[in-house]
């Protein structure tokens, strides 16, 4: 709203709009003038210092995901391949028969044959939980057992109808350590009893 005070009138007032501002010899003040920025001078608005907040620095591609991954990284798993040869031999296994089983670097495992080659034992670490093992439908006959003070679970593979193999798993940080015995000869001992014995002989590595 423009505020108009009475005053002198000049011929310039008759011009179109008198430039829609202040006229010569007049005290007419336009609405535009009253709304001008505080730092205007002689009707010319001075540049107003910017008050915008600077935009944050652009993060390098991939850096955010790398940070997130490092914050949610899973615990390093125990590598059974590092079991001392003397301890392997003490369990009736041949240290020189050691084979690295297929698996990723974060899920290591190794296999050994018995001294008579009657059976083989595989020990591996996995990020898979016991619940995931149960839900896979590949295993059966789950039973809770104790092994050298540890809570453990014993089970078999569904396809193992001849019962030549046996699993015993122990839950550890980040997943499980799994001990598996598989008979190679018909005169081998019952596999679950062998697996239980080996678990009890090597669980000190998990403490």
């Amino acid at each position: 709203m423009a505020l108009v005070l009475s005053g002198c009138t000049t011929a310039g007032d008759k011009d179109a709009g008198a430039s829609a501002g202040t006229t010569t010899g007049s005290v007419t003040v336009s609405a535009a003038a009253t709304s001008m920025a505080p730092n205007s001078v002689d009707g010319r608005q001075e540049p107003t210092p910017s008050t915008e907040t600077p935009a944050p620095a652009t993060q390098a591609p991939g850096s955010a995901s790398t940070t997130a991954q490092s914050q949610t990284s899973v615990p390093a798993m125990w590598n059974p391949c590092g079991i001392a040869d003397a301890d392997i031999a003490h369990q009736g296994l041949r240290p020189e028969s050691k084979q690295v089983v297929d698996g990723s670097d974060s899920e290591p495992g190794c296999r050994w044959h018995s001294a008579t080659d009657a059976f083989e034992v595989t020990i591996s670490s996995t990020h898979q939980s016991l619940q995931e093992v149960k839900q896979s439908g590949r295993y059966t006959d789950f039973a809770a057992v104790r092994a050298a003070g540890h809570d453990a679970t014993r089970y078999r593979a569904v396809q193992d109808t001849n019962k030549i193999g046996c699993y015993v798993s122990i839950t550890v940080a980040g997943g499980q350590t799994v001990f598996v015995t598989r008979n190679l000869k018909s005169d081998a001992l019952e596999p679950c009893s062998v697996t239980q014995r080996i678990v009890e002989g090597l669980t000190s590595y998990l403490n």
Side-chain angles (χ1 to χ4, degrees):
M1 179 181 68
L3 176 65
V4 181
L5 303 179
S6 61
C8 299
T9 302
T10 66
D13 292 334
K14 297 179 181 179
D15 294 338
S19 300
T22 305
T23 58
T24 305
S26 172
V27 291
T28 301
V29 182
S30 69
T34 59
S35 62
M36 187 172 292
N39 59 339
S40 60
V41 178
D42 295 333
R44 296 188 304 275
Q45 187 170 351
E46 293 295 314
T48 303
S50 174
T51 58
E52 294 181 0
T53 302
T58 303
Q59 197 168 23
S63 59
S65 60
T66 301
T67 301
Q69 290 175 359
S70 63
Q71 293 175 347
T72 59
S73 59
V74 295
M77 304 298 289
W78 169 58
N79 188 346
C81 299
I83 298 174
D85 287 349
D87 291 330
I88 289 296
H90 189 67
Q91 300 305 315
L93 305 174
R94 292 190 291 112
E96 69 275 11
S97 68
K98 181 171 69 175
Q99 294 178 312
V100 177
V101 300
D102 292 337
S104 65
D105 292 339
S106 61
E107 296 188 328
C110 269
R111 178 180 296 127
W112 295 264
H113 280 222
S114 67
T116 60
D117 286 327
F119 61 89
E120 65 182 16
V121 173
T122 303
I123 308 173
S124 59
S125 293
T126 176
H127 292 298
Q128 190 176 38
S129 68
L130 178 61
Q131 187 63 28
E132 289 172 326
V133 171
K134 291 180 176 180
Q135 292 175 346
S136 71
R138 299 171 54 192
Y139 305 95
T140 187
D141 297 341
F142 290 91
V145 296
R146 292 284 292 176
H150 290 269
D151 289 328
T153 303
R154 185 183 65 218
Y155 51 96
R156 297 179 186 271
V158 170
Q159 64 182 13
D160 182 17
T161 56
N162 294 326
K163 299 185 184 303
I164 63 172
C166 187
Y167 297 71
V168 173
S169 67
I170 297 176
T171 299
V172 295
Q176 299 180 93
T177 296
V178 184
F179 297 75
V180 187
T181 297
R182 187 172 73 92
N183 286 347
L184 303 176
K185 295 181 179 180
S186 59
D187 60 347
L189 298 174
E190 198 281 320
C192 284
S193 62
V194 174
T195 308
Q196 182 86 15
R197 173 178 60 79
I198 291 176
V199 169
E200 292 176 352
L202 297 176
T203 49
S204 59
Y205 282 91
L206 302 179
N207 295 334

